[in-house]
């Protein structure tokens, strides 16, 4: 009989919330605030067409006592909630167990949370929402699978060494991270070996791809590949031979020209001198006359 009365009262209350906002309360620790938290608050906000969502957050003292240490302190957790679009009001220092006095004080119509039981402050394993469920003011929300604060902490613990090196590379000291001198050196050495192995592996893959490409090309177009290679080699040799021939001809012509000049001097002065200085100068001119040898640079 009492249950039927409670159901009727809830139905009447829900009809009235279309005009005035339903005051829905959700609570939690909200450490490392993530999208799973936001989705649960979104569900609470959308329980009625017109909802005023109050969110309670336990302080550090109560949380450490009944659940354990958090990553974020109470002020950081409060501030994270204030920046969630679904939250209308944040209630700091929220109680671990909701009482009638707390409900009356904040004029709470319903309490929203997932249906999993949470141990109360007595340590007897009772559900903290037992009283709220009993008086018919509990509204269930669904948890988001695959994301939780515990899961996020587990990811950090699992990849602890990588996160330590990440922060060391960003300028944090080993003392900031609570890492010993030996631990830091060991991590740096291991990361160095890891990067070296990755570079070697990548280089091996590149070489393998090039070998496969050459082998594939040679196999599919062998005749064409050989013909092109032969043509390139022959062309290079011809060009080299032509350049050598031009250079040899130019040198021979230059020597003959210098000899004719010396013979002309001997006829005019009846002197044939072996002038070392002139020979040196002639040799220098022989190899540095840009006008005579300029075309060899093409």
């Amino acid at each position: 009989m009492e249950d039927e009365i409670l159901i009727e009262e809830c139905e009447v209350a829900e009809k009235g919330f279309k005009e005035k906002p339903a005051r829905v309360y959700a609570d939690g620790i909200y450490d490392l605030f993530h999208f799973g938290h936001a989705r649960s608050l979104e569900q609470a906000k959308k329980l009625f067409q017109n909802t005023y969502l109050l969110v309670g957050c336990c302080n550090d003292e109560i949380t450490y006592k009944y659940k354990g240490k958090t990553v974020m302190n109470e002020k950081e957790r409060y501030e994270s909630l204030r920046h969630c679009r679904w939250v209308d009001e944040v209630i700091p220092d929220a109680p671990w167990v909701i009482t009638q006095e707390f409900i009356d004080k904040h004029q709470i119509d319903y309490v929203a949370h997932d249906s999993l039981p949470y141990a109360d402050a007595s340590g007897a394993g009772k559900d903290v929402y037992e009283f709220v469920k009993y008086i018919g003011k509990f509204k269930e929300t669904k948890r988001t699978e695959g994301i939780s604060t515990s899961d996020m902490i587990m990811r950090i613990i699992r990849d602890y060494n990588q996160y330590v090196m990440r922060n060391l590379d960003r300028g944090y000291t080993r003392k900031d991270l609570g890492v010993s001198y030996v631990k830091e050196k060991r991590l740096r050495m291991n990361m160095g070996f890891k990067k070296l192995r990755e570079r070697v592996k990548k280089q091996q893959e590149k070489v393998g791809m090039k070998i496969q490409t050459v082998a594939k090309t040679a196999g599919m177009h062998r005749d064409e590949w050989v013909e092109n290679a032969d043509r390139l080699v022959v062309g290079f040799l011809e060009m080299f031979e032509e350049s050598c021939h031009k250079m040899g001809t130019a040198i021979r012509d230059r020597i003959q020209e210098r000899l004719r000049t010396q013979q002309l001097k001997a006829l005019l002065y009846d002197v044939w001198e072996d002038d070392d200085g002139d020979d040196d100068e002639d040799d220098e001119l022989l190899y540095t006359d840009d006008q005579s040898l300029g075309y060899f640079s093409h």
Side-chain angles (χ1 to χ4, degrees):
M1 186 68 178
E2 291 181 357
D3 292 341
E4 293 179 356
I5 295 174
L6 287 173
I7 292 173
E8 290 179 0
E9 290 178 351
C10 290
E11 291 177 350
V12 172
E14 289 180 11
K15 291 179 180 178
F17 294 148
K18 293 181 180 179
E19 299 179 357
K20 69 174 186 177
R23 294 176 66 84
V24 177
Y25 175 78
D27 63 356
I29 308 303
Y30 302 108
D31 191 22
L32 296 177
F33 190 85
H34 51 73
F35 69 87
H37 292 140
R39 284 184 176 178
S40 67
L41 297 176
E42 178 184 7
Q43 294 177 57
K45 179 69 174 178
K46 294 180 178 180
L47 283 172
F48 304 99
Q49 292 182 4
N50 191 2
T51 301
Y52 185 84
L53 182 59
L54 305 95
V55 180
C57 188
C58 300
N59 60 32
D60 289 343
E61 182 181 357
I62 293 178
T63 302
Y64 294 172
K65 182 177 180 180
Y66 296 118
K67 191 167 185 177
K69 183 174 176 57
T70 59
V71 177
M72 302 169 67
N73 61 44
E74 58 187 41
K75 292 182 179 179
E76 293 169 335
R77 293 185 283 116
Y78 300 157
E79 195 63 22
S80 296
L81 287 167
R82 292 190 180 100
H83 286 79
C84 178
R85 62 178 297 186
W86 310 111
V87 177
D88 295 303
E89 181 181 342
V90 175
I91 301 177
D93 303 318
W96 191 256
V97 180
I98 300 172
T99 63
Q100 185 64 54
E101 181 182 0
F102 184 80
I103 291 174
D104 294 339
K105 177 181 178 181
H106 295 281
Q107 300 177 355
I108 296 170
D109 296 309
Y110 290 98
V111 175
H113 204 276
D114 64 76
S115 60
L116 293 176
Y118 282 77
D120 64 12
S122 67
K126 296 181 179 179
D127 187 1
V128 295
Y129 300 104
E130 183 178 5
F131 172 71
V132 179
K133 292 176 180 177
Y134 175 75
I135 63 176
K137 288 184 176 292
F138 184 82
K139 290 290 184 178
E140 181 183 351
T141 58
K142 300 295 183 181
R143 293 175 65 90
T144 301
E145 296 296 329
I147 184 66
S148 69
T149 299
S150 297
D151 290 339
M152 295 174 69
I153 294 174
M154 183 57 65
R155 295 178 198 176
I156 297 172
I157 294 174
R158 182 185 59 202
D159 299 323
Y160 167 77
N161 289 344
Q162 294 185 36
Y163 287 117
V164 170
M165 284 304 306
R166 172 180 179 270
N167 280 14
L168 286 172
D169 291 340
R170 292 190 174 190
Y172 289 89
T173 67
R174 63 178 182 82
K175 292 183 179 180
D176 294 333
L177 302 174
V179 176
S180 68
Y181 174 83
V182 175
K183 177 73 173 179
E184 178 193 1
K185 297 304 178 186
R186 185 185 300 119
L187 286 174
R188 290 191 182 278
M189 183 178 65
N190 290 339
M191 291 302 293
F193 283 138
K194 182 179 179 180
K195 291 179 179 179
L196 179 60
R197 286 194 298 268
E198 291 175 352
R199 287 198 297 268
V200 171
K201 183 179 178 181
K202 188 178 294 185
Q203 191 64 27
Q204 288 175 338
E205 291 174 352
K206 289 182 179 180
V207 172
M209 291 177 63
K210 290 181 179 179
I211 292 175
Q212 290 178 4
T213 301
V214 172
K216 184 177 179 181
T217 302
M220 294 179 61
H221 311 286
R222 183 178 181 281
D223 295 338
E224 181 180 353
W225 189 82
V226 172
E227 182 181 350
N228 289 337
D230 290 342
R231 186 170 63 251
L232 290 172
V233 172
V234 171
F236 172 77
L237 292 176
E238 289 178 350
M239 181 178 63
F240 182 76
E241 183 180 0
E242 181 181 358
S243 297
C244 290
H245 176 71
K246 289 181 177 180
M247 182 177 294
T249 302
I251 293 173
R252 185 182 67 246
D253 293 344
R254 186 64 176 145
I255 292 173
Q256 291 177 352
E257 180 182 352
R258 299 306 296 172
L259 288 174
R260 285 196 298 269
T261 302
Q262 290 179 350
Q263 291 173 356
L264 181 60
K265 288 181 178 180
L267 291 174
L268 292 175
Y269 299 102
D270 195 22
V271 176
W272 181 262
E273 297 180 354
D274 185 8
D275 190 337
D276 294 337
D278 290 343
D279 288 343
D280 292 340
E281 183 180 354
D282 292 341
D283 291 340
E284 183 180 354
L285 290 172
L286 178 62
Y287 295 105
T288 61
D289 192 336
D290 292 337
Q291 183 176 359
S292 300
L293 303 179
Y295 56 85
F296 297 114
S297 61
H298 296 299

